[in-house]
């Protein structure tokens, strides 16, 4: 008698088959992790630039401890000299938050294509991208120690991709409870 298996969901079918689509998961988790980090850096930049503008606009006279009269009375044409903020400058925090959410969704989808042992380790690429974004976005100095640590992360990620399992095992609820019941050490 031929046994008919129930139709599996698409993600379960991808994860259980050894269909060589693990590289899609790797690509998605790399782009997702980098997008998450970029989103955090953009939101941070928006908040720090907003704080800088507030500090400049306070007009405190440091010697007297009160508002400066020179800053409180604008001269003719002074308001016209200020440049209008672009859409991106006004909404940089929203762009950063959207980028972060998009990266999180990419990372979530990636787990349908490859094993967690492979993809979770690759999320450390955020540390590598943070060094790049610290230099490009925040104009911070990159030290030799940062570069050495980044090279260590890249080397470790290379080993993870080469030697970890490229297929995932899907457990049903019954399987998980059976493992839990049999695990007397826990």
């Amino acid at each position: 008698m031929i046994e008919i298996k129930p139709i599996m969901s698409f993600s379960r079918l991808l994860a259980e088959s050894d269909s060589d689509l693990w590289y899609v998961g790797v690509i998605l988790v790399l782009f997702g992790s980098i997008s998450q980090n970029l989103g955090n850096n953009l939101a941070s930049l928006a908040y720090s630039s907003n704080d800088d503008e507030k500090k400049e606009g306070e007009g405190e006279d440091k010697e007297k401890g009160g508002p400066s009269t020179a800053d409180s009375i604008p001269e003719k044409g002074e308001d016209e000299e200020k440049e209008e903020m672009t859409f991106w400058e006004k909404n940089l925090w929203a762009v950063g938050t959207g980028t972060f959410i998009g990266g999180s969704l990419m990372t979530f989808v990636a787990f349908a294509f490859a094993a967690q042992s492979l993809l979770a380790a690759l999320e450390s690429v955020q540390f590598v991208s943070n060094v790049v974004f610290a230099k490009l976005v925040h104009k911070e100095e990159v030290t030799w120690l940062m570069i050495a640590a980044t090279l260590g992360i890249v080397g470790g990620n290379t080993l993870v991709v080469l030697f970890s399992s490229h297929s995932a095992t899907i457990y049903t609820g019954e399987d998980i409870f059976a493992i839990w019941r049999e695990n007397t050490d826990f």
Side-chain angles (χ1 to χ4, degrees), residues 65-79:
S68 170
T69 56
D71 289 338
S72 62
I73 303 171
E75 296 181 19
K76 284 187 175 182
E78 187 175 310
D79 290 335

Side-chain angles (χ1 to χ4, degrees), residues 14-184:
L14 284 174
E16 284 187 347
S17 66
D18 200 13
S19 62
D20 292 331
L21 287 178
W22 62 269
Y23 63 90
V24 174
V26 169
I27 291 168
L28 284 173
V29 86
L30 290 176
F31 279 109
S33 294
I34 292 169
S35 296
Q36 285 175 321
N37 196 287
L38 177 61
N40 277 338
N41 277 286
L42 290 176
S44 173
L45 181 65
Y47 286 119
S48 66
S49 66
N50 192 18
D51 287 343
D52 292 343
E53 289 174 11
K54 284 182 181 178
K55 288 178 185 176
E56 290 175 5
E58 288 176 357
E60 292 287 318
D61 188 3
K62 292 182 182 179
E63 293 176 12
K64 297 180 183 178
S68 170
T69 56
D71 289 338
S72 62
I73 303 171
E75 296 181 19
K76 284 187 175 182
E78 187 175 310
D79 290 335
E80 296 170 5
E81 290 178 15
K82 292 183 181 177
E83 295 180 21
E84 282 290 319
M85 290 178 67
T86 66
F87 172 81
W88 296 110
E89 290 170 334
K90 288 180 185 177
N91 299 305
L92 189 58
W93 67 270
V95 172
T97 302
T99 304
F100 178 83
I101 291 171
S104 296
L105 291 173
M106 271 193 271
T107 302
F108 181 74
V109 170
F111 285 95
F113 292 96
Q116 179 184 0
S117 59
L118 171 65
L119 299 181
L122 286 177
E123 287 192 46
S124 66
V125 77
Q126 286 189 18
F127 296 115
V128 176
S129 64
N130 199 41
V131 172
V132 174
F133 294 141
K135 178 71 175 167
L136 297 177
V137 175
H138 296 290
K139 310 292 189 239
E140 293 179 7
E141 181 182 341
V142 177
T143 65
W144 284 108
L145 185 60
M146 290 175 162
I147 293 171
T150 302
L151 291 175
I153 292 170
V154 169
N157 280 339
T158 303
L159 292 174
V160 166
V161 171
L162 291 176
F163 297 111
S164 70
S165 173
H166 294 144
S167 63
T169 304
I170 301 294
Y171 293 105
T172 64
E174 294 168 4
D175 294 336
I176 292 172
F177 280 118
I179 292 170
W180 178 71
R181 277 191 303 270
E182 295 169 6
N183 187 2
T184 57

